[in-house]
Amino acid sequence: MTSWKSSKLTWFITGAASGFGLELTRLALSKGHNVIATSRNPTKVPDLVSEIEGKGGRWLTLDVDDPNGGSIIENSEAEGTNIDILVNNAGWSIHGPVESFPEEEVRRQMETVFFGPYRLIRAVVPYMRQRRRGLVINIGSGAGVGGRESMGVYAASKAAMDGRTRILAREIAPFNVRTLTVQLGGFDTNFTYALRLSSVPFPEDYIGGKTDEVANSLLGSNYKADGDHRKATKVIYDVAMGDGVGTGKENERVLPLGGDMCRLMDTVAEQIQHQMETFRDIGSNVYIDR
């Protein structure tokens, strides 16, 4: 895909009421792009809606859990608004021991992090494919790469999104449409204030242990991230547009952001290398004898 640095594009951004979604909305507008910002309940952030619409953007209501969520893309395209960049940013996380989550809570987490973005992808990719240009940005998490104790369900939902996107990227590459998975470490957003603990009390054996410690250390003000989400947002924008630090990196599919995320990626790479060194000969000799 050629650089978009001089193009005026239409961005569709979920979870625009705070954090990365809001900052990316502001940045894209400041660069002269069209932006459709969305959130579950715009009436809760009237000042932000006025700010964004005052700068030429649009703010629409979108609950990504809505089974008909993809219709918002269909409606925009039908009105003549061609979406060039979809940003799947909306999300939240639930924590607790893997063994004790009620299935309803697991499904609710998967609905927001996996099925909701998937509906938007299914809606927008056919248009991008037909136009032979487009970009799907998914905001991922270190949890999906190699998460900590208590993150099992959230990690599963993020890993599922990552796995789907890896295949999607290969399928749509021939049509000049690409994906970018942004793997985030800890940043100075209000994400941890939206973190929830499972409704089921932690089994006694976990109390005071690592699972309990990690879950509670991430709650609200207990967690002090050192990542600057404004700096990180500028990197996301540059890689998407092939500008600034993203020059020449337009075709990269995974963007790790945050020192903690980079260290985690290194650790995961080392673990994979260890697995291969340990089992390569064994794993390579399980064929049918001829």
Side-chain angles (χ1 to χ4, degrees):
M1 176 177 289
T2 57
S3 171
W4 276 349
K5 65 179 65 177
S6 61
S7 302
K8 182 175 182 177
L9 306 172
T10 296
W11 296 62
F12 185 101
I13 301 173
T14 71
S18 64
F20 281 90
L22 177 59
E23 190 64 22
L24 194 53
T25 296
R26 287 170 167 163
L27 181 57
L29 281 172
S30 74
K31 298 292 187 179
H33 299 287
N34 299 318
V35 178
I36 301 172
T38 74
S39 64
R40 185 189 301 264
N41 192 350
T43 60
K44 288 187 175 182
V45 288
D47 292 345
L48 292 180
V49 174
S50 296
E51 173 198 337
I52 298 308
E53 293 188 338
K55 293 177 179 177
R58 295 175 64 195
W59 199 300
L60 302 179
T61 300
L62 172 63
D63 180 352
V64 296
D65 291 358
D66 183 352
N68 298 312
S71 64
I72 195 171
I73 300 284
E74 302 285 353
N75 293 339
S76 294
E77 291 279 348
E79 293 168 359
T81 302
N82 297 336
I83 295 168
D84 299 296
I85 299 178
L86 166 66
V87 182
N88 285 312
N89 168 72
W92 57 277
S93 65
I94 192 166
H95 292 241
V98 168
E99 70 174 67
S100 61
F101 278 98
E103 185 163 325
E104 177 187 351
E105 291 180 342
V106 177
R107 290 181 178 276
R108 197 155 64 238
Q109 179 78 101
M110 291 294 293
E111 192 67 53
T112 302
V113 178
F114 179 80
F115 288 106
Y118 187 26
R119 282 189 281 267
L120 298 179
I121 289 171
R122 288 204 311 265
V124 80
V125 163
Y127 294 103
M128 293 179 171
R129 171 171 49 76
Q130 291 160 18
R131 289 191 289 267
R132 293 300 196 262
R133 80 173 203 171
L135 169 61
V136 175
I137 299 176
N138 292 326
I139 304 301
S141 166
V145 177
R148 299 287 307 281
E149 295 86 349
S150 82
M151 299 181 183
V153 169
Y154 180 56
S157 64
K158 283 294 186 181
M161 185 170 75
D162 293 351
R164 175 196 58 209
T165 304
R166 281 193 295 273
I167 304 304
L168 173 68
R170 291 157 59 183
E171 291 175 345
I172 61 180
F175 313 118
N176 198 39
V177 182
R178 66 184 176 114
T179 70
L180 178 65
T181 296
V182 182
Q183 299 292 18
L184 294 180
F187 283 88
D188 58 337
T189 68
N190 65 358
F191 187 77
T192 58
Y193 288 88
L195 182 150
R196 310 173 194 177
L197 297 182
S198 171
S199 62
V200 175
F202 286 22
E204 186 65 32
D205 283 344
Y206 290 101
I207 303 300
K210 182 61 69 173
T211 301
D212 182 39
E213 176 189 328
V214 172
N216 283 282
S217 71
L218 294 172
L219 286 173
S221 60
N222 292 339
Y223 182 67
K224 301 295 184 182
D226 60 0
D228 185 330
H229 78 283
R230 291 177 176 83
K231 291 181 180 178
T233 299
K234 181 60 166 58
V235 174
I236 296 170
Y237 176 86
D238 282 352
V239 173
M241 296 298 296
D243 199 7
V245 298
T247 301
K249 301 178 177 67
E250 297 90 337
N251 293 319
E252 295 300 322
R253 296 176 179 174
V254 177
L255 170 60
L257 287 176
D260 52 347
M261 186 68 237
C262 291
R263 290 189 293 273
L264 174 59
M265 295 283 259
D266 284 336
T267 297
V268 171
E270 290 170 2
Q271 291 171 344
I272 293 173
Q273 185 60 40
H274 169 75
Q275 291 158 8
M276 292 310 300
E277 290 173 354
T278 302
F279 291 108
R280 185 185 302 277
D281 290 343
I282 297 171
S284 298
N285 286 282
V286 288
Y287 293 101
I288 298 172
D289 293 331
R290 297 294 185 185

